[in-house]
Amino acid sequence: MKRPEIFAFFEGDDRYSKKITVSPLHGEAEDLNLWDVINVEREMIELDPTIATTEEILLWKSNQLQMLLEVGNTLAITHDMRELFQKIVDGAAQLMNRGSAAVYLLNNEGVLNLQTTSPALPADFPEAMKRAPLKSHPHISKVISTKRELILPDILAVSLTAEEAVVARVRDLRSLLYTPLSNQGRVIGILIIGSVGRPHAFTQDEIDIFHALASMAALEIERTRLAHEKQAYIEQIEEHIVEQERIKESLSESEARYRHLAENALDIIYRIQVGLEPKAYTLDYVSPSVQSITGYSAEELAENSALARDVISPTGCDELHWTQPWVGKIKSREGKSIWLEHRITPLYNKDGRLHALEGIARDITERKLAEQELHRAYDELNHAYEETIESLTRGLELRDYETEGHSRRVVDMTLELARKMGFDEAELITIQRGALLHDIGKIGIPDAILLKPGPLTEEEWKEMRRHPELGYDMLYPIEYLRPSLAIPLYHHEKYDGSGYPLGKKGEEIPLEARIFTVVDVYDALTSDRPYRKAWTREEALEYIKEQRGSHFDPQVVDMFLDMQTLS
């Protein structure tokens, strides 16, 4: 047998880029048809099939397949996604003996994301270039749409987008081979290999090897993605279990605290179970404090549903009472009246059906009794006020005989007219007081003027016209009468501004004073005075109508005339 023969092909040779050593497996040298590979350096992949022998081609393919399997095995044991991408491009660059490789993934929004490259990108490579819309990489877009490889023999001879040109310039790329990363017919990304510095003519064998690598890479990417999703799901389940345990423990602690608070609370805490039938309410829980408040124990109420309904008022179950506190009155075991203020919270199940009501009932009996006592005292005080006002009015009428009964008559008529014009009951009380006291300022007018039987002189009228302001000054210090001072001060003002004491006009005069002015004049005209006889009702109404818009508010006149027509 011949001595082993050594074939050495060194870097830079057009046929091989590295060295190999082979020896005959059997037979004479001239009959050799099988070679035993003693040593192969893994980057030996450049082979020119046009000048290589059959043995050399077989040897090259065997080496490539062995390297492909080794890359596949390396990918299969890699579980970190970032590390996997790096091993894919490193394996592609080694297997294809090209200077540059890259992996892009395509997201659901049609955006390309550069995962990694071999060799690594320079530190100053723009981050924005690592994420780009598909339209900015038309060659990648073509590969995705056709799901087939694409070769650019020399990128200097093709049109590139700005983004493609940046990548080519950074890498000094010349020839590019694109292949899709596909999983179950869906393209998930692109694997790219490129020659650096000079063009390279990719052979069909190289394309097949690269396609095989891309298929393995796509499977491993999907496997790793699913493994990550599975792990994330497992971690989510574990976190959920831990959270459920934490919630369960927290609920247990909260329940213990709640029960402790409920059983030691001064207020009555209760829970009412709501059945499917209308008004199907069952007392589910009531705190021990119910006994100290009502005299009935929680056990008694739990065993006697009718008694429970009487003690925990069933009106609290009405939806009307769920949004705001409400007060119910019950009878204790001793027959004592007890007022309870309830606050209700409705509870719904996941289907939206009401299944329970939780409530807190506070004993407000003392507060209620105090409120009743306060109301009684207020009523007594208010009555005393009204009596005082009546006394002041009677005192004035005793001094000024011509106005006897006038105040009471104008009060009744004024209240009727004010009610028709929209005043509420609280406002009517202040109007009533103002009407009763409208002439109280006349107490400050000398008897010689106030009781004079004939017409007054101009000087006497000047003094008489002071009585509205005298009445205001007299009543203002009495705080509860301040809301009623509009009528005493303004009842001699005229709608056209010619009245006194301030010359107010139109809506500058408070409405209650404008109402009273009509009633006051009408009553004066229809009453006997020492210096004239009373006018007839028709004469007085005709005068009121004539003074509409000058002395009196037109709207008030119209309402007054309507009221007189109906009476």
Side-chain angles (χ1 to χ4, degrees), residues 503-563:
K504 297 289 185 181
K505 65 179 179 178
E507 294 188 2
E508 294 176 352
I509 307 167
L511 179 57
E512 56 265 45
R514 284 179 270 151
I515 290 171
F516 181 82
T517 299
V518 174
V519 174
D520 186 40
V521 171
Y522 175 79
D523 186 80
L525 292 175
T526 56
S527 301
D528 287 328
R529 294 297 165 88
Y531 49 86
R532 65 161 173 80
K533 297 293 290 181
W535 291 19
T536 65
R537 179 174 179 272
E538 289 72 19
E539 291 172 332
L541 292 176
E542 185 61 29
Y543 177 80
I544 297 293
K545 191 183 300 184
E546 290 173 359
Q547 295 296 310
R548 182 182 183 277
S550 55
H551 191 160
F552 308 119
D553 181 335
Q555 290 184 338
V556 175
V557 169
D558 293 343
M559 186 67 72
F560 179 76
L561 294 175
D562 288 344
M563 187 177 76

Side-chain angles (χ1 to χ4, degrees), residues 370-385:
E371 288 176 356
Q372 290 179 349
E373 182 61 25
L374 182 62
H375 282 304
R376 186 189 63 78
Y378 175 81
D379 289 341
E380 290 181 355
L381 181 61
N382 196 52
H383 182 69
Y385 285 156

Side-chain angles (χ1 to χ4, degrees), residues 49-254:
T50 62
I51 61 174
T53 65
T54 302
E55 290 82 359
E56 291 170 342
I57 293 173
L58 290 173
L59 179 61
W60 181 86
K61 288 184 177 181
S62 175
N63 180 47
Q64 293 299 95
L65 290 173
Q66 185 176 349
M67 292 178 65
L68 180 63
L69 290 174
E70 289 181 2
V71 171
N73 290 335
T74 300
L75 299 182
I77 61 174
T78 303
H79 303 295
D80 179 75
M81 187 68 83
R82 189 176 295 275
E83 183 181 354
L84 176 67
F85 288 132
Q86 191 61 53
K87 288 184 177 180
I88 289 172
V89 294
D90 288 344
Q94 180 185 12
L95 183 64
M96 303 296 290
N97 194 28
R98 301 274 67 84
S100 180
V103 171
Y104 283 90
L105 287 189
L106 181 68
N107 66 18
N108 294 330
E109 287 76 39
V111 176
L112 287 170
N113 292 280
L114 178 60
Q115 301 301 312
T116 189
T117 65
S118 180
L121 289 168
D124 60 349
F125 188 81
E127 283 295 322
M129 297 293 294
K130 297 179 181 179
R131 179 180 171 85
L134 191 58
K135 64 181 181 181
S136 65
H137 289 268
H139 295 98
I140 292 179
S141 178
K142 184 176 180 180
V143 173
I144 291 173
S145 63
T146 62
K147 301 182 181 179
R148 297 180 61 84
E149 293 83 5
L150 175 66
I151 298 174
L152 298 182
D154 189 348
I155 62 173
L156 297 182
V158 297
S159 176
L160 302 177
T161 64
E163 290 80 358
E164 291 176 323
V166 169
V167 175
R169 184 174 63 253
V170 169
R171 286 290 193 229
D172 191 23
L173 298 174
R174 291 295 298 275
S175 300
L176 291 175
L177 172 58
Y178 300 80
T179 192
L181 296 171
S182 300
N183 179 58
Q184 296 181 347
R186 183 176 63 90
V187 178
I188 62 173
I190 298 292
L191 180 59
I192 307 173
I193 194 76
S195 67
V196 176
R198 60 190 177 90
H200 171 74
F202 291 101
T203 67
Q204 187 59 49
D205 287 336
E206 288 177 314
I207 295 172
D208 292 342
I209 286 291
F210 193 56
H211 179 73
L213 175 62
S215 297
M216 287 194 301
L219 288 173
E220 293 305 322
I221 290 171
E222 187 65 13
R223 174 192 61 79
T224 305
R225 183 187 67 79
L226 291 174
H228 282 193
E229 287 184 358
K230 179 181 177 182
Q231 183 61 32
Y233 179 72
I234 291 172
E235 291 175 359
Q236 184 179 1
I237 293 297
E238 290 174 347
E239 290 177 1
H240 180 70
I241 292 172
V242 171
E243 181 65 13
Q244 289 296 105
E245 289 297 323
R246 187 193 66 77
I247 292 174
K248 183 178 178 181
E249 182 179 346
S250 177
L251 286 175
S252 179
E253 292 176 357
S254 296

